[in-house]
Amino acid sequence: MSSSLHPSLNYNAPGSPENTAGYNSEEIDAVKYAGSTCPSNSEFDGSLKCEEKELDVAGDKDDREPEDSPFEVVRTAVSNTDVPSMPSMTFRTHVLGVFFVCLISFVNQFYWERDNPIALNLLIVQLLCYPMGVAMAWALPKRTWSFFGYKWTMNPGEFTVKEHVLISLMSNASAFMALTVDIFAVLRLYYNPSFPLWAALLLLLSGQLFAYALAGLSRTLLVLPAPMIWPSSLINASLFRTFHEHQEHNIETVQEEAVSNVIGASHTRQRWQWRWRRRSLSGMTRTRFFWICFVCSFVWYFIPGYFVQLLSTVSVLCLVAPNNHLANMLGDGKQGLGILSFSLDWSVFSNAFLQSPIATPFWAACNLFLGFVLVFWIALPVAYFNNLWDSATLPLYSLDVFTTNGTKYNITRVMRDGVFNPQAYDHYSPLRMSLEFSWVYGIGFAALMSILVHIGLYNGKEIISRLRETKAKHDDIHGKLIMSYPSVKAWWYLVLLIASSATGIAVGVGAQIGVPWWGYMLSFAIAIVLVIPVGIIQAISNRQPGLSLVAELLSGVVLQGIPTGYSILKLYGHGSLAQALSYAQDMKLAHYMKIPPRHVLIYQLVGIVISVIIQTSLFFWLIDRIPNMCRPEGYPWVCRSTNLVYSASIIWNLIGPLRVFGEGSPYSPLLWGFLFGLVLPIPIYFLQRRFPNQTWLQHVYIPVILSGIVGLPPMPPVDFPMWFLFGFIFNFVIHRYWHAWWQKYNFTLSAGLDSGLALSGILQFLALAQNGLKLDWWGNRVDRQCTLSSKPWIAPG
């Protein structure tokens, strides 16, 4: 299912490599790690192709149903049976679904604007939801009530896998919406301070509902056909089956263990009393281990989050030589290169830009870190200190845009009546960016082309073959089983599509955003035209091409001079398209798990509405409550992503790509990135075929290497080495030498640390910061650690 590195690549979109850690459903106590984008029962051959090993997850071959999926990779992860009488939409799913969608929406939006944002994802919901569901099944009364002839009960029996999936799908509707909220944050903060909350709510809601309707209308091509596999959904399906395997095989009663940890059933409670005893860590249940990690993370975050904020980023070179300009630029973990910087803050290790290091396969982490080292630690300082494009007259690392004399760009100097004025621009100044910021776009161009070429080389034959098989293998066993449930009518989605798009145009024009009606129509057209081809690529290859750059280029050409046009193109052209693919992937998971389609519709729509209301309202509330919000003085509420969107709106729509990257601009060579990305994967492909026994070569993945730098900015530089270090320790060292421990606790550790930090940060804000209880001492003066890093190496002339 689906978060983002940077708008120009959308690497963390649904199906990206780091979100594809796999699980084996052979044992309820062993969550297997794939180490690749292949399911855990597959072998990764270095070229992102899978050689599947047969795994009987439904029992012995002799006991298996005669009909199954035509694709072995699906057969290994998804059951070919269904129990139509199994409850799915119950009182428990209502309560837990609303609880988790509120939790995920609030936490992700709350932390998104902080200096080190974190993001709670589907894995946390899967892990937390199960013991809570089992506890409710143990504790709730089983009495049946009658309400105007309709009979219902709070407790229909044991907590089922269908309930578990529905709750997860509902919460996942809100998991990665914060980037879309940034669009309206820019309107409110920089272009229209009086931009109303109601307009933001309706526009965002229309965008999300448009995306959902688009996914629903595409389901006959992206969801129902058997060849549209959506590999990431297989991993989630395998994890759900791992939790509920006893419902299929009756091997062991996992429910008893979960209840004993949450509530304490009499027999098991006597056996596992909460008292100190000498026992091996590997004998601890996952639930208990989760709560230990949760408490430790909750308590510890008070140190770097409140008492000693300097521990969030310790820049060693700045402490050793605080008055040395070069040392400050090299060592600053926030605005420099971050060399020798480190952190004791889990929000740095598991940040929203890269996600948890534990959930990223180690081969992918190596590719990402290689790209970071080659570009950020080697090429960038060489080019900067040699003053390439007069870059040394600007800060080394910044997401702001500048004039030629080094001052921040004042958009009011080049605007008249809210639109771009060419004459004023000629009298003011051309736009300039920090060298790293400009390189992000050039490498983004290369990454976009490289992933298209990579998909063609490594997955082209497979995509063509699957497309040819679509009609022949449409009605596999999963399609036949789901047909026993009432379907969602296509016209329902069509009505939703028309209503949401009409609402978006009416509200946008009524709120005087400044974009003409045909600009909205263009945005809708981008999403409608691209959803099928891009969805097919992702459903088969598990890769999503960079979508943000497409929307940015089109908006810059068609709506040049209208800075607010960037917001609309991002909302409907890119945001809705990315969300539509996320919803389609969730629909495929529901398809695999045999969830009634109308139940999926209800829960996803409710999740969308709740999350839009919470996230948008929360951000507007934060703007009104926090002084200097989204400015350096408002630390830690510096809004890195929001400020990036603001700078991008100036680059792409206000000034326009023809002036920024066109002839006569110092940044015109960046357009060679398209050709670079087109060519670079080809020699790697043939080298891998020529030397198949070179293991390291088989794990070289050009699109991932290029994407290693695309998140900088807005990501603080210190995040990357800390993220890689933690991934190396757990996904290489512990995975290799203490595999049994890793197998059982690795993902639980990540979920516990993320959850504890999230609650601790919210409590600190509400109980301490909002009451003026701040500690002003040296350990909390983070802006005084590297005071020279933001100054240019060469003073502007």
Side-chain angles (χ1 to χ4, degrees), residues 208-421:
Q208 298 303 310
L209 294 180
F210 174 81
Y212 188 77
L214 194 59
L217 290 172
S218 306
R219 75 194 191 286
T220 55
L221 292 175
L222 298 182
V223 178
L224 298 180
M228 300 297 107
I229 288 178
W230 295 92
S232 292
S233 294
L234 297 178
I235 295 163
N236 286 303
S238 181
L239 179 58
F240 281 120
R241 294 188 68 200
T242 299
F243 278 111
H244 299 270
E245 194 171 20
H246 63 291
Q247 294 175 356
E248 297 179 6
H249 307 293
N250 198 25
I251 295 177
E252 59 182 346
T253 308
V254 184
Q255 185 178 14
E256 181 180 355
E257 176 187 344
V259 170
S260 68
N261 284 284
V262 179
I263 296 180
S266 57
H267 172 73
T268 313
R269 180 174 55 204
Q270 294 173 3
R271 181 182 177 186
W272 302 105
Q273 292 181 355
W274 281 93
R275 66 173 183 263
W276 175 260
R277 62 177 61 184
R278 300 181 64 86
R279 51 182 297 179
S280 64
L281 184 61
S282 60
M284 187 184 302
T285 63
R286 286 197 195 95
T287 305
R288 179 171 296 181
F289 183 75
F290 169 86
W291 287 113
I292 291 175
C293 295
F294 178 92
V295 172
C296 292
S297 178
F298 176 87
V299 174
W300 170 252
Y301 189 59
F302 276 88
I303 305 299
Y306 181 73
F307 291 107
V308 192
Q309 296 176 12
L310 188 70
L311 295 179
S312 179
T313 301
V314 180
S315 300
V316 176
L317 292 180
C318 294
L319 296 177
V320 173
N323 297 320
N324 188 298
H325 193 185
L326 179 61
N328 274 237
M329 299 183 83
L330 296 178
D332 190 357
K334 298 291 186 181
Q335 296 178 300
L337 297 179
I339 297 175
L340 296 183
S341 294
F342 68 92
S343 175
L344 298 177
D345 182 352
W346 176 246
S347 68
V348 171
F349 291 88
S350 180
N351 58 81
F353 303 110
L354 292 169
Q355 298 294 298
S356 172
I358 292 177
T360 306
F362 186 63
W363 69 266
C366 289
N367 278 269
L368 284 165
F369 192 63
L370 176 62
F372 171 82
V373 172
L374 291 177
V375 176
F376 201 77
W377 279 354
I378 298 178
L380 178 64
V382 171
Y384 179 82
F385 290 112
N386 282 282
N387 199 25
L388 177 67
W389 305 337
D390 290 329
S391 57
T393 62
L394 300 174
L396 173 62
Y397 182 80
S398 174
L399 50 79
D400 293 319
V401 290
F402 302 89
T403 63
T404 52
N405 63 10
T407 59
K408 288 188 178 181
Y409 210 85
N410 185 354
I411 61 174
T412 61
R413 297 283 300 274
V414 297
M415 294 176 65
R416 297 293 184 272
D417 299 323
V419 298
F420 178 74
N421 185 286

Side-chain angles (χ1 to χ4, degrees), residues 187 191-192 194-196 198-199 203 417-418 504-516 520 562 564 568:
L187 290 176
Y191 291 112
N192 185 3
S194 61
F195 187 73
W198 66 265
L203 283 171
D417 299 323
I505 295 175
V507 174
V509 174
Q512 298 181 344
I513 292 180
V515 179
Y520 294 86
I562 307 175
T564 52
I568 299 304

Side-chain angles (χ1 to χ4, degrees), residues 519-551:
Y520 294 86
M521 299 300 294
L522 174 64
S523 305
F524 299 142
I526 292 174
I528 293 172
V529 170
L530 293 180
V531 66
I532 297 299
V534 175
I536 290 174
I537 292 174
Q538 183 175 335
I540 295 175
S541 69
N542 208 30
R543 314 283 183 275
Q544 185 183 103
L547 303 174
S548 182
L549 269 180
V550 176

